[in-house]
Amino acid sequence: MTSLMKNTILSNKLPQILLSGFMISIVSSYMTMATAAPIYKVVDEKTGQVTFTDRPQSHEQQVGKRVTEMSITTGNETNKSDNNTTSNQLSDTQQNTTKPVTNTKSEVQVNYQLAIAEPSEERAYRRPAQNIDVNVQIKPALQAGDTVSIYLDNKEVAQGLSASIATIDILPGAHSIKAVVKNQKGGVVQQVTRTVYVIQNTTALQNKKKIAKQLLAYQNLPWHQKVMLKMRQKETANP
């Protein structure tokens, strides 16, 4: 092919090549302008709803809308940001849902005033004729779950504010009466102690000993003397 023919062909194709280059340039400029347009993120402060737009003017005039310019330029990136926002919202919701509730209310223990009204300090009781009557006073009134127990020599004998303790099985000597307030967990909250004395009833003891001696002497008598003694007792009873 001669150089003249080549020049002729190039001259005929030159307008097409220039036109194609011009169209590519226009398309590239258009795409650049399209991708360079800023995107705005609109957040509804009441509901938390997120909206993306390139026209923020319609949202800026609304109350409760927070508009922020984003660097998002493609639809894929917009969806990614939207998904991240939704994921963060779900994560916050899960954290708020699973966060344990702590009861900050502390239990306040009542400061009780405890006193033993009866018996009086160092009182003496005659065994076995007298009982030890115990009466306890407490202020303020017992709260739910709290209890009062009464002890004799560290042994619980009753629950409540009063008790009657028989002395027949208590040895003569000093003994302690104690009232104890306990909470619902069994812990001692307050306590008070009093000392009393138990003494033997001498008159009753002597009478018992006298009767025991007389019975023993009667049992040691011969049978005929026992018969005579019974006859005399009948004569005395029926003069």
Side-chain angles (χ1 to χ4, degrees):
M1 182 180 292
T2 63
S3 59
L4 179 61
M5 292 178 64
K6 291 180 179 181
N7 291 334
T8 302
I9 294 172
L10 291 174
S11 298
N12 292 333
K13 290 184 177 182
L14 182 60
Q16 296 178 357
I17 294 172
L18 292 176
L19 180 60
S20 299
F22 179 72
M23 292 299 294
I24 292 172
S25 177
I26 292 175
V27 172
S28 299
S29 299
Y30 176 78
M31 292 178 63
T32 302
M33 291 176 63
T35 58
I39 300 298
Y40 294 88
K41 177 182 177 181
V42 181
V43 179
D44 191 321
E45 295 180 347
K46 292 183 178 180
T47 63
Q49 182 179 358
V50 179
T51 305
F52 294 94
T53 181
D54 59 351
R55 297 181 179 180
Q57 296 82 1
S58 59
H59 297 280
E60 289 177 344
Q61 303 300 325
Q62 299 179 17
V63 179
K65 303 289 186 179
R66 185 172 69 251
V67 181
T68 305
E69 183 177 351
M70 306 295 293
S71 60
I72 302 173
T73 56
T74 64
N76 292 334
E77 292 178 357
T78 301
N79 292 333
K80 182 177 180 180
S81 299
D82 196 5
N83 291 335
N84 290 336
T85 302
T86 305
S87 177
N88 291 335
Q89 291 176 350
L90 290 175
S91 177
D92 293 340
T93 303
Q94 292 175 354
Q95 290 179 0
N96 293 333
T97 303
T98 60
K99 184 178 180 181
V101 178
T102 303
N103 185 9
T104 58
K105 183 179 179 180
S106 59
E107 297 181 358
V108 179
Q109 181 61 58
V110 178
N111 184 19
Y112 291 109
Q113 296 180 5
L114 192 64
I116 297 179
E118 189 180 0
S120 58
E121 185 68 28
E122 298 185 350
R123 179 175 174 179
Y125 293 86
R126 292 187 179 275
R127 171 182 180 268
Q130 294 179 303
N131 291 344
I132 303 175
D133 294 327
V134 182
N135 289 312
V136 179
Q137 294 179 348
I138 186 170
K139 293 181 180 181
L142 281 175
Q143 302 298 307
D146 295 347
T147 59
V148 175
S149 297
I150 298 175
Y151 291 79
L152 172 66
D153 297 332
N154 295 321
K155 181 180 179 180
E156 184 176 341
V157 294
Q159 287 189 350
L161 300 179
S162 63
S164 182
I165 306 172
T167 58
I168 187 170
D169 295 325
I170 302 177
L171 295 176
H175 299 273
S176 66
I177 302 294
K178 181 169 61 176
V180 179
V181 180
K182 297 180 181 179
N183 56 27
Q184 57 185 350
K185 296 181 180 179
V188 176
V189 177
Q190 186 63 272
Q191 63 180 4
V192 61
T193 305
R194 177 147 297 174
T195 301
V196 296
Y197 296 90
V198 174
I199 61 177
Q200 183 64 49
N201 191 333
T202 306
T203 303
L205 181 61
Q206 290 176 351
N207 290 335
K208 287 182 179 180
K209 288 181 178 181
K210 184 178 179 180
I211 294 174
K213 287 181 180 181
Q214 291 176 350
L215 180 61
L216 181 60
Y218 174 79
Q219 291 176 351
N220 292 332
L221 290 175
W223 66 270
H224 63 278
Q225 290 184 356
K226 291 181 180 179
V227 173
M228 292 179 61
L229 183 60
K230 288 183 178 180
M231 292 177 61
R232 290 177 183 176
Q233 290 177 348
K234 289 182 179 179
E235 290 177 355
T236 304
N238 299 311

